[in-house]
Amino acid sequence: IVPRKGVIEIQRLLQEVEDKVVVSIGSSHLCVTASVFTLTTKLIDGKFPDYDRVIPKDGDKVVMAEKQELRQALSRTAILSNEKFRGIRVSISKGQLQLSANNPEQEEAEETVSVDYNGDSLEVGFNVSYLQDVLGVIASEKVRITLLDGNSSAVIEDPKCEDAVYVVMPMKL
């Protein structure tokens, strides 16, 4: 299995190649050779952690949002987040998700997004870059965010695709 970043790097390198490419696969390595480059990867032998244990299963607060509207609000809010920590405050209440950020220069940003949510109010901090990264790879027009409380991780999913689950850890603000 080649990690996603490795696949992206191979794709990037192959965009410039017009001639023959040789792919060699060994028991612990993969080698891609072209006229202008050679890329070799090595399998790291070790036990892969049980990722299923870090996916929260007890979240009872489910938010459904329009992905593009949320992405745009995150982008606008991120501009005034602290450049070092990139933290934003996410406040969820009935029918709305409010994003807020501030920075050491005392500048503030606040955005409100309409969402499908009917649970108790909740406030949690996240690194805005991580949320943007997840929304950048979800294909659907909607996104499902599941939380338990203000200290728990967010489980972010594409409601139309059960193949991927994204976990974003909270941060103290």
Side-chain angles (χ1 to χ4, degrees), residues 111-128:
E111 288 280 335
T112 301
V113 177
S114 294
V115 296
D116 182 9
Y117 178 72
N118 291 314
D120 295 335
S121 294
L122 173 70
E123 189 172 280
V124 61
F126 290 108
N127 180 314
V128 68

Side-chain angles (χ1 to χ4, degrees), residues 135-150:
L135 294 181
V137 296
I138 289 179
S140 288
E141 295 174 7
K142 292 195 176 276
V143 61
R144 178 174 49 232
I145 304 167
T146 307
L147 295 145
L148 176 63
D149 57 36

Side-chain angles (χ1 to χ4, degrees), residues 18-166:
E18 294 181 11
D19 53 332
K20 188 168 114 175
V21 176
V22 177
V23 178
S24 305
I25 301 173
S27 62
S28 65
H29 74 279
L30 170 75
C31 184
V32 179
T33 305
S35 59
V36 293
F37 73 87
T38 298
L39 176 82
T40 304
T41 66
K42 183 177 184 324
L43 174 65
I44 298 173
D45 194 20
K47 186 173 176 157
F48 195 75
D50 182 10
Y51 69 88
D52 200 43
R53 286 187 22 211
V54 300
I55 300 174
K57 307 275 191 260
D58 50 359
D60 60 351
K61 294 168 181 63
V62 179
V63 178
M64 292 293 289
E66 294 291 331
K67 180 189 75 171
Q68 199 57 30
E69 185 181 353
L70 183 55
R71 275 184 85 181
Q72 291 170 354
L74 285 168
S75 293
R76 290 188 297 268
T77 307
I79 293 169
L80 293 180
S81 68
N82 183 310
E83 288 181 25
K84 184 176 180 182
F85 301 109
R86 305 283 291 156
I88 63 164
R89 185 175 318 280
V90 178
S91 302
I92 305 166
S93 58
K94 290 188 192 310
Q96 71 177 16
L97 183 143
Q98 187 175 38
L99 306 169
S100 58
N102 55 42
N103 59 33
E105 289 81 35
Q106 303 303 314
E107 298 169 315
E108 295 182 13
E110 192 172 286
E111 288 280 335
T112 301
V113 177
S114 294
V115 296
D116 182 9
Y117 178 72
N118 291 314
D120 295 335
S121 294
L122 173 70
E123 189 172 280
V124 61
F126 290 108
N127 180 314
V128 68
S129 299
Y130 299 157
L131 296 174
Q132 290 173 312
D133 287 347
V134 171
L135 294 181
V137 296
I138 289 179
S140 288
E141 295 174 7
K142 292 195 176 276
V143 61
R144 178 174 49 232
I145 304 167
T146 307
L147 295 145
L148 176 63
D149 57 36
N151 297 315
S152 68
S153 301
V155 176
I156 304 174
E157 300 168 281
D158 179 337
K160 291 185 178 178
C161 177
E162 301 290 323
D163 294 341
V165 175
Y166 306 91

